[in-house]
Amino acid sequence: MIASTTRALESRTTKASALKTSALKTVSVAAAAAGLMILGVGSASAHVHVDPASTSAGGFSQLTFRVPNESETAKTTKVTVTLPTATPFTSVSVKPMDGWTAKITEAALPAPVTVEGAKITKAAATVTWTADPAHQLGQHEYQTFSISVGRLPDAGTTVALPAAQTYSDGTVVNWNQPETAGGAEPEHPVPSFVTTVAADEHSHAAPAAATAADTAAADTASADTSAASSTIPVTAAPDTTFGIAGLGAGLLGLAAGTAALVRTRKR
């Protein structure tokens, strides 16, 4: 009788231990998966890229560049974006930012370009943002820089916008490598987007995605090139990327642990 009871207790103890081990493995796997997912997102978002508010041909658009600081020892002090010359923008204006000074520089085009019946020989060539010491981007920080441009070229045109990121130690990272279809992503891909067919083929009105303020700013820049090319004071937004990632990992781990405990109790 005693021997039978002992064997029953040992069996229950072994089963409980196995269930506990299984639950721990489940939580570990879930945590690892969450970590890999977060690392994957972080890697993909570590590039300088552009997000156009509109890609409609013939219209105006706000282009927002997301620039992360990738150095562990230096700060980002300056960002320069080079604008296209084959399909130049006839209007470029910048969105002011506290702590950063923006400057639009014009240059002669390699060859004259006809835009809406007018021959263009000179256009905005670069936009440069320079930070004051208090707003330079440190480790695990990023900033967004916005410009309003127009008019966008014909549908199907790839608009490449190479960016140069300057660090406080003198290092300059050039984001200018084109991507090839089916090929591996380059180390420093060029920020770019492809224009699409205009919503109204018979109208060049600014798209709804662009705000009235953006459109007005673009028109003003087109009418007064010297004003658009002047230096304009342009706040480093606090970086919440890692806080959100950590919260996501914690929630995934908690859900996995709860599910494992429920299965254990049911058994």
Side-chain angles (χ1 to χ4, degrees):
M1 180 67 179
I2 295 176
S4 177
T5 302
T6 301
R7 284 195 299 272
L9 289 174
E10 289 177 349
S11 176
R12 292 180 181 178
T13 300
T14 301
K15 182 179 291 187
S17 178
L19 290 174
K20 182 177 180 181
T21 300
S22 177
L24 289 175
K25 286 182 178 179
T26 300
V27 173
S28 298
V29 170
L36 290 173
M37 180 182 68
I38 292 169
L39 288 175
V41 171
S43 175
S45 63
H47 298 323
V48 172
H49 69 267
V50 62
D51 180 23
S54 170
T55 57
S56 183
F60 290 88
S61 181
Q62 175 176 280
L63 308 181
T64 300
F65 297 85
R66 183 185 186 280
V67 180
N69 185 85
E70 295 189 318
S71 174
E72 293 298 326
T73 58
K75 295 183 176 182
T76 296
T77 61
K78 184 169 65 175
V79 176
T80 298
V81 172
T82 299
L83 305 177
T85 56
T87 55
F89 299 128
T90 57
S91 172
V92 178
S93 57
V94 298
K95 182 177 181 179
M97 284 173 41
D98 292 340
W100 291 79
T101 298
K103 184 176 182 180
I104 301 173
T105 302
E106 289 189 340
L109 298 174
V113 177
T114 300
V115 180
E116 295 186 331
K119 182 175 289 187
I120 307 298
T121 60
K122 185 172 68 172
T126 61
V127 181
T128 300
W129 291 269
T130 304
D132 63 32
H135 290 80
Q136 295 175 0
L137 302 183
Q139 289 68 46
H140 310 304
E141 293 182 343
Y142 75 94
Q143 184 55 279
T144 56
F145 305 86
S146 295
I147 59 176
S148 177
V149 302
R151 304 197 179 259
L152 298 185
D154 294 340
T157 302
T158 297
V159 180
L161 301 155
Q165 183 175 10
T166 302
Y167 288 91
S168 56
D169 61 1
T171 301
V172 178
V173 177
N174 290 300
W175 300 88
N176 59 1
Q177 299 173 335
E179 299 186 57
T180 56
E185 183 183 52
E187 184 177 3
H188 299 108
V190 61
S192 63
F193 66 94
V194 179
T195 56
T196 55
V197 176
D200 182 357
E201 292 291 348
H202 303 290
S203 172
H204 291 302
T211 64
D214 290 333
T215 303
D219 290 340
T220 300
S222 179
D224 187 357
T225 304
S226 60
S229 303
S230 62
T231 298
I232 305 173
V234 283
T235 273
D239 184 13
T240 59
T241 302
F242 293 94
I244 293 173
L247 177 59
L251 290 174
L252 285 173
L254 178 60
T258 301
L261 289 175
V262 170
R263 289 197 299 271
T264 299
R265 290 181 178 180
K266 286 183 177 181
R267 293 181 184 180

